[in-house]
Amino acid sequence: MSDDVIWHCIRHNHCSFMAKIETGIFCRNPYNATGICNRSSCPLANSRYATIRDHDGVFYLYMKTAERAHLPKKLWERVKLPRNYEKAMEIINKHLEFWPKLLVHKIKQRLTKMTQYRIRMRRLQLKVREKIMTVPRKKTQRDLRRLEKAEKAAQLDKSIESELKERLRKGVYGEIYNFPFKQFDTILDMEKDELAPEIEEEEEGEIEYVEGDDIEMGDMDDMEDFEGFGDEDDDGDEDDDLDEPATKKPKLPGSDSRSKIGRKSTKVITEVEEDEDRGSRQRTRM
Amino acid sequence: MAREDRKRRQPDGDEAADEGERRGRRDKRPKEEKPAPPLPSEIRNKEKRSEVYAKLKREKKAQKRRLGRERGQAAQRAAELGEEVPEKQVPRTIENTREPDETVCRPDDQELFAGNDADEFNAVLKQVVTPKVLITTCRFNSGRGPAFIKELMQVIPNAQYVNRGTYDLKKIVEYANNREFTSVMVVHTNRREPDALLIINLPEGPTAHFKLSKLVLRKDIKNHGNPTSHKPELVLNNFTTRLGHRVGRMIQSLFPQDPNFRGRRVVTFHNQRDYIFFRHHRYIFEEKEKKIVSKDKKSKGETKTEKQINCRLQECGPRFTLKLLTLQHGTFDTKSGEYEWVHKPDLDTSRRRFFL
């Protein structure tokens, strides 16, 4: 069949390789050297045609001639192209010596393009890249549910507190805190041995003292103000913001940092009294 | 005193019992009229069904309460008579019905301790080397990622942030190795939300990949405190199995081993059901006098005081939860890396099986 007849059929009737899109008419035939659908680069309508194909990174030069047009099995003659670009060029020159210049030019262009994309592909493959994975929604939801339950079971604050107290008891903190642990423990032991009454009496004495303080709560409020005012000055970030009732609790007897703070605050108060500068005092209290 | 207590209590109990009986009789009457009461699920009228169901539930609850009361009374009676008090019932939890794991370490596990001495974290934990941590991100870091890293830097002393740029992680590991970092942390964000944490121990330590969830930053925590720059102390809870030990030691090696106790800062990694909860607190010990009002009638109004040492906490963020996905032998290498442990879906077949 004549090339012109074939081209007429392809162009004006139907070609299954043709792809008409907005940018133009393209060809999907793997033997097409340019990918464009026109008379000169159609692999079907040209009895003399050549192209380059890529088989897993190896390039082959494909050529077909009119002499073999009646033998579909032997239609294409295949020559392997070396990896080296220049050597590949030489081989193309050798095999396509007397071919139309336009076709040779197109094939050389294709070779350039293909070597470039092969280099790019290799480079990209060597590069470490992030892999995008799917997140199974059902599993994440289940995980979140279990997490919430585990959090409740953990009782985090409680376990941390108990751990810290355990450390204090074991003496990890050394001399920093001066809680009279030994006395405390002995008291506990004595209570266990039912020697409690004596201690209770002692404690009762203490209790009466505390109650006496409680009665004078009206005065105590003022005192607290003083203390608070002292605290705000130098102890602000220590424990004021922990929670409110903390300031009402009696100061620790033994801890040195605390006692220092107490001394400082009293100092400030005395200064205020000497100056009798009420305005400034109120301002600070505010 | 106890006898009086009982006197006071007993009539209550009797009344309650009477009530129960009366209620029972009242319940019985309609039942006698209708020989077979239908199950609530069989009733098609929704209003009626919910009514019946509520009633059933109420009865069940009352019965449960009654049983509990009876048990309590029995225990009290036994205690008064000097008999053996029946054992208190322990509720079944997922923790105490956990599937037995043979690698859960015992206190006399010589093999484990020998292994500990030979592992990669030994140099840091024996204080031969001070830990130095490099923190970096994934390539596109935005949203809460930077804020999270800022807070993480305050938590981990001697941490340094390095911009990720477009470097490969392997290059960064190499860089960190040259500068004598002991670990690399990578915070991975997805859709502007930190969702994974990668911890690489250097120079040849393992690589742990954690899923990060439920992140709460400091500013979103109510009544949060601000941490000081003291070296924090560490609380690692419940890392029991071999794998758990290893992960625990890995986490431990991020922090300096000589905490400054005066800073009163504590960083907690608490493992519960394979979720590792991270919390960061400031604490204070307090001596508190606890008043116990005695229930005796004679000494009414008298109070006992008991000195107790209290520990109060203030959270200073961030707060997040980790879940181990993989533990890899050697530094980060996804292609030819050897995994010590990988979480696979078929490990999830039982909810009572835990690995940490």
Side-chain angles (χ1 to χ4, degrees), chain B residues 173-186:
Chain B
V173 166
E174 206 176 289
Y175 167 91
N177 248 337
N178 292 336
R179 316 242 159 165
E180 290 174 345
F181 281 93
T182 57
S183 347
V184 174
M185 280 174 97
V186 185

Side-chain angles (χ1 to χ4, degrees), chain B residues 61-318:
Chain B
K61 214 174 169 184
Q63 195 191 3
K64 206 176 173 187
R65 222 181 297 141
R66 199 178 61 234
L67 281 174
R69 205 188 302 134
E70 274 168 15
R71 237 180 286 128
Q73 280 171 353
Q76 207 181 0
R77 218 173 298 134
E80 271 174 27
L81 292 174
E83 288 170 4
E84 222 172 277
V85 180
E87 273 181 37
K88 221 176 184 186
Q89 287 182 325
V90 182
R92 272 170 47 136
T93 58
I94 290 189
E95 279 78 19
N96 61 24
T97 53
R98 174 179 179 170
E99 277 182 16
D101 192 328
E102 58 199 14
T103 67
V104 166
C105 80
R106 292 168 299 278
D108 56 335
D109 201 341
Q110 292 305 324
E111 201 184 327
L112 178 75
F113 298 136
N116 280 352
D117 286 338
D119 73 356
E120 300 93 335
F121 318 111
N122 199 36
V124 173
L125 298 189
K126 285 271 164 68
Q127 300 190 32
V128 181
V129 184
T130 49
K132 193 177 165 196
V133 183
L134 185 144
I135 298 181
T136 186
T137 60
C138 59
R139 274 182 200 170
F140 306 105
N141 180 34
S142 63
R144 290 208 294 170
F148 174 52
I149 282 170
K150 208 178 268 175
E151 295 189 4
L152 208 59
M153 301 265 291
Q154 287 178 324
V155 172
I156 302 172
N158 210 358
Q160 208 173 317
Y161 174 70
V162 171
N163 252 336
R164 173 67 183 264
T166 54
Y167 289 110
D168 297 348
L169 204 53
K170 281 181 193 170
K171 285 266 168 62
I172 287 179
V173 166
E174 206 176 289
Y175 167 91
N177 248 337
N178 292 336
R179 316 242 159 165
E180 290 174 345
F181 281 93
T182 57
S183 347
V184 174
M185 280 174 97
V186 185
V187 178
H188 194 276
T189 49
N190 180 24
R191 299 191 194 168
R192 296 175 296 286
E193 217 21 46
D195 77 331
L197 188 70
L198 194 75
I199 301 177
I200 307 169
N201 192 61
L202 296 178
E204 63 238 348
T207 304
H209 184 202
F210 295 100
K211 194 173 87 177
L212 193 151
S213 49
K214 284 203 115 181
L215 172 69
V216 183
L217 294 179
R218 185 177 304 142
K219 72 170 182 359
D220 300 325
I221 296 174
K222 242 185 179 180
N223 293 330
H224 68 80
N226 289 316
T228 50
S229 56
H230 295 89
K231 289 175 187 167
E233 58 186 296
L234 208 57
V235 174
L236 294 169
N237 276 349
N238 289 351
F239 289 94
T240 48
T241 62
R242 275 294 163 84
L243 180 72
H245 253 260
R246 205 160 157 70
V247 172
R249 279 173 74 83
M250 182 166 201
I251 289 167
Q252 202 181 348
S253 73
L254 294 173
F255 292 87
Q257 303 305 305
D258 49 340
N260 194 337
F261 292 122
R262 285 189 189 278
R264 294 191 273 112
R265 259 178 98 188
V266 60
V267 171
T268 313
F269 287 87
H270 182 107
N271 172 33
Q272 190 90 23
R273 306 180 187 172
D274 279 359
Y275 295 99
I276 301 171
F277 296 97
F278 171 92
R279 295 289 184 275
H280 180 203
H281 290 281
R282 294 191 315 143
Y283 65 87
I284 189 160
F285 290 116
E286 256 175 11
E287 205 168 23
K288 192 182 170 191
E289 286 189 358
K290 199 181 176 188
K291 284 183 185 173
I292 302 168
V293 181
S294 57
K295 286 166 187 171
D296 248 342
K297 269 186 180 173
K298 280 179 190 171
S299 55
K300 199 183 173 186
E302 280 181 25
T303 49
K304 265 189 196 174
T305 50
E306 213 174 86
K307 276 183 186 174
Q308 269 192 333
I309 287 181
N310 235 26
C311 176
R312 289 195 296 132
L313 297 175
Q314 183 186 27
E315 193 163 356
C316 31

Side-chain angles (χ1 to χ4, degrees), chain A residues 125-130 135 139-140 142-144 146-161 163-165 167-169 172-173 175-177 179-181 184 188 191 200 203-204 206-207 210-211 214 237-239 241-244 246 249-250 252-253 256 258, chain B residues 95 138-140 164 168 170 188 190 211 213-214 223-225 228 233-237 261-262 264 266 268 270 272-273 275 277 279 281-289 291 301-315 319 321 323 332 334-335 345 348 350-351:
Chain A
Q125 228 155 35
L126 284 176
K127 211 171 165 185
V128 178
R129 291 206 297 174
E130 276 144 18
V135 182
K139 277 173 195 162
T140 46
R142 186 182 64 192
D143 242 28
L144 271 178
R146 289 190 180 171
L147 187 147
E148 265 167 30
K149 285 179 186 171
E151 193 174 353
K152 273 175 200 151
Q155 296 186 308
L156 286 164
D157 283 359
K158 227 179 191 175
S159 62
I160 295 167
E161 278 172 20
E163 173 71 32
L164 290 173
K165 272 192 240 173
R167 282 184 189 182
L168 183 64
R169 195 164 286 276
V172 176
Y173 302 121
E175 296 292 305
I176 299 174
Y177 304 104
F179 295 115
F181 264 113
F184 179 62
L188 277 186
E191 273 183 2
E200 269 184 14
E203 280 180 344
E204 272 167 24
E206 282 179 21
I207 295 148
V210 170
E211 279 176 347
D214 281 345
D237 67 326
E238 281 262 297
D239 62 344
D241 34 352
L242 280 177
D243 61 78
E244 273 291 298
K249 280 161 198 163
L252 303 181
D256 40 28
R258 287 254 157 174
Chain B
E95 279 78 19
C138 59
R139 274 182 200 170
F140 306 105
R164 173 67 183 264
D168 297 348
K170 281 181 193 170
H188 194 276
N190 180 24
K211 194 173 87 177
S213 49
K214 284 203 115 181
N223 293 330
H224 68 80
T228 50
E233 58 186 296
L234 208 57
V235 174
L236 294 169
N237 276 349
F261 292 122
R262 285 189 189 278
R264 294 191 273 112
V266 60
T268 313
H270 182 107
Q272 190 90 23
R273 306 180 187 172
Y275 295 99
F277 296 97
R279 295 289 184 275
H281 290 281
R282 294 191 315 143
Y283 65 87
I284 189 160
F285 290 116
E286 256 175 11
E287 205 168 23
K288 192 182 170 191
E289 286 189 358
K291 284 183 185 173
E302 280 181 25
T303 49
K304 265 189 196 174
T305 50
E306 213 174 86
K307 276 183 186 174
Q308 269 192 333
I309 287 181
N310 235 26
C311 176
R312 289 195 296 132
L313 297 175
Q314 183 186 27
E315 193 163 356
R319 177 199 295 176
T321 310
K323 188 166 197 240
F332 180 80
T334 44
K335 273 184 184 158
D348 273 343
S350 163
R351 59 169 69 195

Side-chain angles (χ1 to χ4, degrees), chain A residues 34-201:
Chain A
T34 58
I36 298 164
C37 181
N38 58 20
R39 177 72 179 82
S40 62
S41 62
C42 183
L44 303 173
N46 286 300
S47 52
R48 196 179 208 210
Y49 195 73
T51 185
I52 299 175
R53 285 192 69 190
D54 174 15
H55 292 286
D56 294 328
V58 183
F59 295 159
Y60 290 93
L61 176 67
Y62 278 78
M63 293 164 288
K64 78 170 189 182
T65 47
E67 287 83 44
R68 281 177 275 121
H70 64 289
L71 303 167
K73 199 185 169 192
K74 296 179 181 172
L75 184 60
W76 291 99
E77 182 193 352
R78 193 171 85 164
V79 181
K80 190 181 169 185
L81 294 177
R83 292 184 69 83
N84 190 319
Y85 175 71
E86 280 158 15
K87 280 179 190 167
M89 269 315 200
E90 272 173 30
I91 286 180
I92 290 171
N93 279 335
K94 200 178 97 190
H95 279 88
L96 308 182
E97 205 176 346
F98 306 109
W99 285 53
K101 285 285 167 290
L102 181 69
L103 194 59
V104 175
H105 180 63
K106 270 184 197 163
I107 283 168
K108 283 181 180 172
Q109 269 184 329
R110 188 170 166 79
L111 178 73
T112 319
K113 192 176 84 180
M114 285 172 81
T115 5
Q116 277 168 356
Y117 87 56
R118 186 166 63 182
I119 290 166
R120 204 158 51 229
M121 264 166 73
R122 298 237 159 120
R123 197 184 293 149
L124 282 176
Q125 228 155 35
L126 284 176
K127 211 171 165 185
V128 178
R129 291 206 297 174
E130 276 144 18
K131 195 174 153 197
I132 292 170
M133 312 244 292
T134 53
V135 182
R137 184 178 152 74
K138 195 174 152 193
K139 277 173 195 162
T140 46
Q141 294 299 91
R142 186 182 64 192
D143 242 28
L144 271 178
R145 266 196 313 272
R146 289 190 180 171
L147 187 147
E148 265 167 30
K149 285 179 186 171
E151 193 174 353
K152 273 175 200 151
Q155 296 186 308
L156 286 164
D157 283 359
K158 227 179 191 175
S159 62
I160 295 167
E161 278 172 20
S162 62
E163 173 71 32
L164 290 173
K165 272 192 240 173
E166 189 60 37
R167 282 184 189 182
L168 183 64
R169 195 164 286 276
K170 275 182 187 165
V172 176
Y173 302 121
E175 296 292 305
I176 299 174
Y177 304 104
N178 276 328
F179 295 115
F181 264 113
K182 278 179 188 169
Q183 292 171 30
F184 179 62
D185 284 344
T186 47
I187 287 169
L188 277 186
D189 289 343
M190 280 158 88
E191 273 183 2
K192 270 180 197 167
D193 298 345
E194 295 185 350
L195 283 166
E198 280 182 26
I199 298 139
E200 269 184 14
E201 277 176 15

